[in-house]
Amino acid sequence: MTSQAQRPQAQPLTRPDGTPIRILAVDDEASLTELLSMAMRYEGWEVTTAGSGSTAVQEARSVRPDAIVLDMMLPDFDGLEVMRRIRTEQPDVPVIFLTARDAVDDRVVGLTAGGDDYVTKPFSLEELIARLRGLLRRSGATTARPSSQLVVGDLTLDEDSHEVTRAGDDVSLTATEFELLRYLMRNPRRVLSKAQILDRVWNYDFGGQANVVELYISYLRKKIDAGRDPMIHTLRGAGYMLKPAGA
C-alpha cells in the first residue's frame, strides 16, 4: 500500500500548539446546538454548548474558546451582554452572532458593539463553518492545514476547490455527492453504516428512508468506479467502505 493510501484525511485547522480548535456555541434551542456541535466536530474541533447567557459566561471562563457562536436572544440576558462579560477576560475572542432574519437592528448593534460577524436564521451550516474558518484564521488562533487534499489510492479530492480526480481524470460531482465522497475519504477502510452516513452527510434522520444513501452510493459508483477497479464496497448488513482499488 502506498503512503498516499495510508493517509486518511487532510490535517484540519488546529491551534498553534496542535490541539483542537475550541468553539463555544450558545443558543437556547437544544436541537440547534446539537446540530452545530455535530458540524463542528466533523471539522475536528472541540465544542462546548450553553443554553443561557450565564452558562455561556461560565463555560467561556472554563474552556477559553477560540471563537464563539452566540445567539442574540437568550432567556436570561442578551448576546451583547454575554459578549461584554466574556471579553472582560478574553478581549480578543472572535464572536459570530446568530440573529433572526428580520432583526436588522440586532445585526447593526451587534457589529457596532464589537461582534465580528453574524448569520441570520435559518442558516446554512456550510456557510457558518466557512465564516468560522475565516475568523479563526484572521484572529491567528489557528495553524492552517498544509494541504486541502484528501488522497486515497488514485482518488483525490480537494476540499477547497471541490475538484475530484481519479487516476488524473476529472470527476464531476453534485454538492451532495461531494459531501458523501468526502465523508468516505475521511474514513478510508472503515465501515460506515447508513445511519452514520445520514447523520454526517444529510445532518438529520430521514425517518427510515435509508434508501437515499443507497441511491447516492450508486451515483458515486457510476462516477468513481465505472470502468475501473472498484473503490466503494458494500458490506451487506453493515454499511459501506471506501479503500484503494485492489487493496
Side-chain angles (χ1 to χ4, degrees):
M1 184 167 52
T2 67
S3 59
Q4 284 185 329
Q6 292 173 334
R7 179 179 158 195
Q9 65 180 70
Q11 179 183 343
L13 287 181
T14 65
R15 307 176 90 210
D17 62 1
T19 57
I21 293 292
R22 301 171 189 170
I23 305 292
L24 175 60
V26 187
D27 197 291
D28 60 342
E29 295 181 48
S31 59
L32 178 56
T33 53
E34 287 175 11
L35 197 61
L36 292 173
S37 296
M38 181 178 63
M40 294 174 193
R41 290 188 179 114
Y42 183 58
E43 296 294 318
W45 303 341
E46 290 182 356
V47 187
T48 301
T49 62
S52 68
S54 56
T55 303
V57 173
Q58 293 170 5
E59 293 291 358
R61 185 173 295 122
S62 173
V63 304
R64 308 291 293 182
D66 298 299
I68 302 171
V69 178
L70 180 57
D71 190 21
M72 284 292 287
M73 300 299 293
L74 295 166
D76 46 3
F77 44 88
D78 66 22
L80 294 177
E81 179 63 15
V82 174
M83 181 177 69
R84 187 189 67 78
R85 296 189 188 190
I86 291 175
R87 281 187 170 171
T88 59
E89 297 183 22
Q90 287 183 270
D92 299 321
V93 62
V95 174
I96 293 183
F97 282 115
L98 304 179
T99 70
R101 180 176 295 277
D102 56 354
V104 177
D105 290 345
D106 282 350
R107 300 200 291 271
V108 173
V109 170
L111 293 175
T112 302
D116 298 276
D117 203 349
Y118 68 86
V119 294
T120 55
K121 296 181 179 180
F123 54 84
S124 156
L125 285 174
E126 186 178 58
E127 177 190 6
L128 179 61
I129 294 297
R131 293 196 185 196
L132 269 172
R133 282 181 169 277
L135 273 184
L136 289 163
R137 287 191 176 104
R138 291 196 297 274
S139 71
T142 71
T143 296
R145 62 189 179 195
S147 172
S148 63
Q149 288 190 336
L150 304 180
V151 181
V152 179
D154 62 356
L155 182 63
T156 301
L157 178 150
D158 191 304
E159 294 187 289
D160 290 339
S161 68
H162 282 213
E163 294 175 341
V164 177
T165 62
R166 181 160 183 198
D169 296 330
D170 291 337
V171 180
S172 178
L173 300 178
T174 67
T176 302
E177 290 167 353
F178 180 87
E179 287 304 319
L180 175 56
L181 181 61
R182 171 156 61 178
Y183 183 44
L184 292 171
M185 292 185 69
R186 284 184 170 186
N187 296 276
R189 298 178 176 273
R190 178 182 171 193
V191 179
L192 302 172
S193 69
K194 291 179 181 178
Q196 287 176 306
I197 294 171
L198 280 172
D199 184 52
R200 292 301 185 94
V201 178
W202 279 269
N203 295 323
Y204 61 88
D205 187 347
F206 265 62
Q209 297 181 32
N211 62 325
V212 70
V213 176
E214 297 174 14
L215 182 63
Y216 274 86
I217 287 288
S218 72
Y219 291 161
L220 271 188
R221 280 189 168 128
K222 290 175 183 176
K223 296 183 177 183
I224 299 297
D225 288 344
R228 302 181 175 97
D229 290 338
M231 296 184 67
I232 302 171
H233 301 270
T234 300
L235 285 84
R236 193 167 300 279
Y240 302 95
M241 175 194 295
L242 182 138
K243 62 180 182 178

